[in-house]
Amino acid sequence: MTWKEISANPGYNHSVSVSEMIREAQKRLEELNLDDQDELYRLRMNGKLRLWGIRDRNILRLLWWDREHEICPSQKKHT
């Protein structure tokens, strides 16, 4: 897919502020010397499965395979 196609569905694929992620993810970025990143890019694959990475122009440098949607769980509306 192109970035235009990926970005066409912001409900599924979008940038997320590192400050919104669980503390374990933030600590892992520190361990990887990537704590200078303000945000990561999230791709929703299906169901709970997410891919996380750093967008560098037209490349997504993958960091994590988030099988259970735990890195940045969404807040359900009206609960």
Side-chain angles (χ1 to χ4, degrees), residues 26-73:
Q26 295 174 25
K27 287 170 63 174
R28 183 63 180 142
L29 286 172
E30 292 171 14
E31 292 169 4
L32 296 170
N33 293 319
L34 295 172
D35 53 331
D36 60 335
Q37 300 296 313
D38 294 326
E39 61 185 24
L40 298 182
Y41 204 85
R42 183 199 87 171
L43 299 175
R44 178 179 175 189
M45 303 309 290
N46 62 38
K48 294 181 180 181
L49 181 61
R50 306 291 188 270
L51 291 178
W52 289 88
I54 298 170
R55 184 174 176 180
D56 183 9
R57 291 174 290 245
N58 63 341
I59 296 171
L60 183 64
R61 301 186 186 282
L62 294 179
L63 291 175
W64 298 309
W65 174 269
D66 183 9
R67 186 173 294 157
E68 294 297 322
H69 194 258
E70 296 174 321
I71 293 186
C72 187

